[in-house]
């Protein structure tokens, strides 16, 4: 028997998808049959199936895998309710530009047994909704229904073309039981005609203009966010910064390591708030959604601003604009290389003494920045410590090529400042606003680095806020980690609640009633504090390293034990009590 469902799995495998993260239901009889058939008859040429007890975790795993490798993965969920269960993870994949193919069944469209797959259960009436694709359609690059098995492979490849073309993101396919049960003749496609859309670079005029502006500026600034998804970008930006003496580079949290901390032009990661934005006299924005927040800090009037992006109009954002005189839809790497090449030719004609002074000033500024970060990352006299000291210690103890999966919310800048990432692909944060990404995201990243490195992947550390940890559905995360042997180290930043809502309130009502209220009174407190590591240990049937740390004197010893456990194949969760603001 060769069904539409089996052809679906053939199609995703032929398109390069290696993993399916599944949460199955009554719409999937033919999907289940196809899975069993594929695992028996097409071993080694069939996607690996990962059971996920929660849909958001499934989506986050596919998302993390795709972000690290650039290779789309598949999520299979159950009709409308499973689609809704994906929740904020779809938002994260959309804003974080992660290529993921989502498939969900539809309630059968026949009632009296007219076709194989016709309704057989009570729930088939209850889950029959007017337009299932609309549930997540606005977050997807493409959403459509498979209406016949005869073109199921074409539908899969069309969805993947959208998902993998910049700006990348999720695509959503649905298919009723009758359609997915359909017997069809085996067929294949020529995969070479289904590649993603390729973007070009800048025009010669544009690259010349940008290079001239940067070289002529006293305080040039480049702001980026997602460009580091292409792991060739950090080196390309370094070459540009070495050419344009005095160029500073600001990362705005688009989810990837874009520029190394050791370079004197490094300004770190800030969510649209950085004093140098107001000082800059030329700004180049590359692949960035929020370069600055105008109500808090914005560029000077009249300066030159160039905006280069795969999606400069931000077509999924109803409100977006920056006062750029020039906008370009272009591939970031190609654009950076063009600007650098042009700048190298022009720089040879500039005053060497002036360039040397700029470079020396930049180095001095960078040295001061690093020293300031270090001074804030010291424990208090009573032994308490902040996120900065914790991450500084983590960096010193974890393997040099560790991959950091970060969802630290209000602590993100402290994490980035002290980890000071250097290697392309070594820092991945959510890139969206749907808290809970990092649990499944870290598992997907670990699964990916294992698969890409013959089973022995890089060390993966999840750094997550306490409230966000609860959003991540740890009961599902650590069950999956145990079942599929995906060991990661999780660091929970325990500051007894959600602090982001207080920050948001104070930005609008700095002297309001809430400014004087306790965390309990504004309903952001987690007191009594949950046993975060205990939750994970229970989910892993007890096979997990769990510990709490609240004193700096215990941190190194406990971290050493946790790292050893993870390197030995056991997941570890450290509940770390951190002080605020450092």
């Amino acid at each position: 028997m060769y069904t539409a469902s089996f052809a679906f799995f053939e199609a995703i495998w032929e398109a390069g998808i290696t993993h399916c993260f599944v949460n199955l239901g009554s719409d999937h009889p033919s999907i289940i049959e196809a899975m069993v058939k594929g695992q028996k008859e097409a071993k080694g040429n069939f996607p690996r199936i990962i059971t996920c007890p929660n849909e958001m975790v499934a989506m986050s795993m596919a998302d993390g895998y795709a972000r690290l490798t650039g290779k789309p993965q598949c999520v299979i969920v159950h009709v409308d309710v499973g689609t809704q269960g994906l929740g904020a993870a779809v938002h994260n994949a959309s804003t974080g530009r992660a290529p993921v193919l989502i498939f969900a069944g539809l309630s059968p469209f026949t009632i009296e047994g007219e076709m194989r797959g016709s309704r057989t259960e009570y729930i088939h009436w209850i889950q029959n909704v007017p337009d299932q694709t609309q549930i997540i359609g606005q977050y997807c690059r493409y959403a459509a229904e498979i209406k016949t098995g005869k073109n199921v492979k074409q539908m899969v490849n069309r969805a993947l073309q959208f998902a993998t073309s910049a700006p990348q993101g999720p695509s959503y396919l649905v298919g009723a039981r009758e359609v997915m049960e359909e017997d069809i003749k085996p067929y294949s496609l020529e995969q070479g005609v289904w590649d993603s859309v390729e973007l070009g670079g800048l025009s010669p005029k544009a690259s010349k203009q940008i290079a001239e502006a940067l070289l002529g500026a006293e305080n040039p600034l480049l702001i980026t966010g997602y460009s580091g998804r292409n792991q060739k970008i950090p080196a390309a930006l370094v070459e540009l910064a070495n050419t344009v003496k005095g160029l500073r580079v600001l990362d705005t949290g688009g989810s990837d390591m874009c520029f190394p901390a050791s370079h004197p032009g490094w300004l770190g990661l800030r969510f649209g708030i950085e004093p140098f934005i107001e000082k800059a006299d030329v700004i180049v924005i590359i692949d960035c959604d929020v370069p600055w927040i105008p109500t808090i800090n914005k560029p000077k009037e009249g300066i030159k601003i160039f905006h280069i992006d795969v999606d400069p109009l931000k077509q999924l954002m109803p409100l977006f604009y920056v006062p750029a005189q020039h906008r370009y839809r272009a591939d970031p790497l190609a654009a950076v290389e063009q600007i650098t090449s042009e700048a190298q030719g022009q720089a040879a004609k500039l005053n060497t003494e002036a360039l040397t002074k700029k470079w020396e000033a930049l180095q001095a500024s960078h040295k001061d920045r690093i020293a300031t970060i270090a001074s804030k990352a010291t424990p208090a006299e009573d032994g308490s410590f902040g996120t900065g000291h914790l991450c500084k210690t983590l960096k010193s103890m974890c393997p040099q090529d560790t991959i950091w999966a970060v969802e630290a919310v209000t602590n993100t800048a402290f994490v980035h400042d002290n980890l000071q990432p250097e290697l392309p692909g070594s820092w991945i944060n959510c890139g969206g606003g749907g808290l809970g990404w990092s649990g499944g995201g870290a598992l997907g990243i670990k699964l990916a680095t294992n698969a890409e490195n013959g089973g022995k992947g890089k060390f993966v550390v999840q750094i997550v806020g306490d409230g966000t940890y609860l959003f991540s559905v740890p009961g599902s995360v650590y069950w999956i980690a145990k079942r599929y042997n995906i060991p990661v180290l999780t660091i929970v930043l325990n500051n007894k609640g959600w602090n982001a809502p207080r920050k948001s309130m104070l930005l609008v009502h700095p002297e309001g009633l809430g400014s004087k209220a306790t965390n309990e009174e504004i309903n952001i407190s987690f007191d009594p504090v949950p046993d975060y590591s205990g939750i994970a240990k229970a989910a892993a049937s007890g096979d997990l390293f769990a510990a709490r740390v609240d004193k700096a004197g215990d941190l190194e010893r406990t971290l050493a034990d946790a790292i050893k456990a993870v390197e030995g194949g056991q997941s570890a969760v450290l509940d770390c009590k951190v002080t605020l603001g450092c």
Side-chain angles (χ1 to χ4, degrees), residues 214-218 245-246 354-362:
L214 288 173
L215 288 168
E218 280 299 312
K245 306 297 184 186
L355 294 178
T356 301
K357 285 183 178 179
K358 276 188 179 183
W359 185 250
E360 289 174 350
L362 190 68

Side-chain angles (χ1 to χ4, degrees), residues 105-144:
L106 293 172
S107 281
F109 53 75
T110 57
I111 293 178
E112 299 183 21
E114 299 95 327
M115 302 173 72
R116 191 171 75 222
S118 188
R119 294 185 186 182
T120 53
E121 301 172 57
Y122 169 89
I123 204 67
H124 292 153
W125 278 261
I126 307 303
Q127 293 170 340
N128 186 200
V129 295
D131 188 352
Q132 189 172 302
T133 60
Q134 288 303 305
I135 297 172
I136 60 170
Q138 66 177 320
Y139 298 97
C140 294
R141 305 300 183 261
Y142 177 77

